[in-house]
Amino acid sequence: MAMTKSEKIWMNGQFVPWDDAKVHVLSHVLHYGSSVFEGIRCYATKQGPAIFRLGEHIERLAYSSKIYRMKVPFSSEQIERACLDTVAVNGLQECYIRPLVYRGYAHVGVNPVGTPIDVMVAAYPWGKYLGDDALTKGVSVKIGTWARMAPNTLPAMAKAGGNYLNSQLLKLEAVEDGYAEAIALDTNGYISEGSGENLFVVMKGELVTPPMHNSILAGITRDTVLRLARELGYSVREMVMPRELLYVADEVFFTGTAVEVTPVTAVDRLPVGNGEVGPVTRAIQNAFFGIVKGEVPDRHGWLTRVPRSVAASAKA
Ligand code: PMP
């Protein structure tokens, strides 16, 4: 499936045509996975396009960069601006935004010192990650045979390119075996997360999700759902969970920028609950989509409106 192109990509402060946004084959990132990135959604609202939790995404990008000792030559404010400008310059209403910070072209020594830190931001139309029916009907998943990285191997808090080799193994295995997605366990055998999404379990009316020390990425949608669930009056807990809890749970759902709030209706071919999308998952979906689509007041200040035109300084 090819991606839908937009017109321009922001590269190191300049807009370049989509087809010209290239890197040298000896760029460090290509050889050793030395990149950190974000995935952000912009939603069409009645007030125009709005980016969901932009500040938190760019803050996480800064944390990821710091963990890998990458000195980003742009401030977080400038990268936020670049995201807004990239949506505006491409005339997009609803899109996915991909900022990437990477070690560029200088040498391919494993010691990354001396490589330039390059930054790009692309924005392009993107549909539903797990298919059009996933949000309404739910998905069937398996427990992957690959574990998430142990905490003293690759830092899970960093959203780094290299981490997604593990995600690819999980995803390839799931799809080859006929599932939409795989859930990974951590190296102790406890539930961690999906290949690109966090996981929630509903058990007797309570929501539970694995804590940071189960090798998860601290998802921004996860944080959103934790807050919305509390506001809806649910009891919410972070809890270390054994695999078999998924087999006896009332409801299970994924959260993430790509999957938004996607019900999981079967795990390892066992139905979750009665195999239908459950009421708690639906309530969380309604609260989430109400906010991101601007249908209810943005009481948390989570939406950043995209200006109609690009700041003069960003025009190339
Ligand atoms: N875990 C992994 C491994 C991911 O790639 C993602 C997607 N960024 C998430 C969780 C969900 O994070 P977020 O809600 O911030 O998109």
Side-chain angles (χ1 to χ4, degrees):
M1 257 201 315
M3 62 203 301
T4 308
K5 289 183 189 180
S6 58
E7 274 177 46
K8 290 178 182 164
I9 292 179
W10 186 98
M11 281 183 95
N12 294 323
Q14 303 269 308
F15 280 114
V16 299
W18 179 283
D19 289 328
D20 298 340
K22 293 180 179 164
V23 296
H24 194 279
V25 290
L26 289 170
S27 297
H28 198 269
V29 58
L30 217 48
H31 299 258
Y32 306 122
S34 21
S35 67
V36 296
F37 67 101
E38 275 305 318
I40 312 172
R41 272 194 198 263
C42 174
Y43 289 91
T45 74
K46 272 178 250 123
Q47 295 82 35
I51 302 180
F52 185 61
R53 303 198 72 174
L54 176 61
E56 290 86 344
H57 278 283
I58 302 307
E59 179 180 59
R60 187 170 67 187
L61 186 67
Y63 294 159
S64 301
S65 310
K66 186 172 185 193
I67 291 167
Y68 279 102
R69 294 170 155 76
M70 297 166 109
K71 282 209 166 56
V72 186
F74 296 92
S75 67
S76 289
E77 292 69 30
Q78 285 173 310
I79 298 175
E80 284 183 29
R81 188 81 246 158
C83 291
L84 291 161
D85 287 346
T86 305
V87 175
V89 80
N90 287 296
L92 295 161
Q93 293 295 314
E94 196 150 64
C95 62
Y96 184 74
I97 307 167
R98 167 54 57 84
L100 179 79
V101 174
Y102 57 100
R103 293 192 179 272
Y105 170 64
H107 63 76
V108 285
V110 169
N111 176 356
V113 172
T115 53
I117 303 299
D118 292 323
V119 185
M120 60 76 57
V121 179
Y124 47 88
W126 201 44
K128 301 297 177 196
Y129 178 58
L130 296 176
D132 289 339
D133 284 346
L135 288 169
T136 49
K137 297 197 179 137
V139 293
S140 170
V141 309
K142 70 172 289 187
I143 305 294
T145 58
W146 293 97
R148 218 77 185 114
M149 297 78 69
N152 55 352
T153 59
L154 289 167
M157 255 189 93
K159 191 169 168 60
N163 290 0
Y164 288 80
L165 284 170
N166 174 261
S167 294
Q168 288 178 55
L169 291 169
L170 286 157
K171 186 78 187 189
L172 284 166
E173 174 188 337
V175 172
E176 278 168 22
D177 290 353
Y179 299 87
E181 184 55 286
I183 293 169
L185 306 177
D186 68 11
T187 50
N188 289 314
Y190 295 110
I191 297 169
S192 179
E193 61 179 347
S195 72
E197 52 279 304
N198 294 114
L199 188 77
F200 281 78
V201 169
V202 182
M203 202 65 195
K204 301 190 193 308
E206 186 180 46
L207 280 93
V208 283
T209 192
M212 293 261 293
H213 63 257
N214 291 126
S215 299
I216 64 161
L217 180 74
I220 289 161
T221 321
R222 173 182 179 276
D223 177 73
T224 302
V225 166
L226 285 170
R227 292 202 212 189
L228 294 178
R230 284 193 184 108
E231 288 170 15
L232 288 170
Y234 292 109
S235 136
V236 181
R237 227 159 24 113
E238 293 181 280
M239 190 178 88
V240 176
M241 288 187 262
R243 168 179 184 161
E244 61 273 22
L245 198 71
L246 294 172
Y247 301 150
V248 297
D250 298 319
E251 300 179 35
V252 175
F253 61 88
F254 281 137
T255 65
T257 299
V259 294
E260 300 168 303
V261 177
T262 292
V264 174
T265 46
V267 179
D268 292 340
R269 303 287 180 211
L270 276 172
V272 175
N274 60 6
E276 308 272 306
V277 179
V280 179
T281 305
R282 280 208 203 286
I284 300 290
Q285 282 185 319
N286 290 340
F288 176 81
F289 286 110
I291 288 198
V292 298
K293 293 182 175 169
E295 288 160 1
V296 302
D298 178 21
R299 58 189 185 276
H300 311 87
W302 283 340
L303 295 176
T304 307
R305 284 228 227 119
V306 177
R308 269 179 224 287
S309 58
V310 174
S313 60
K315 278 194 187 135

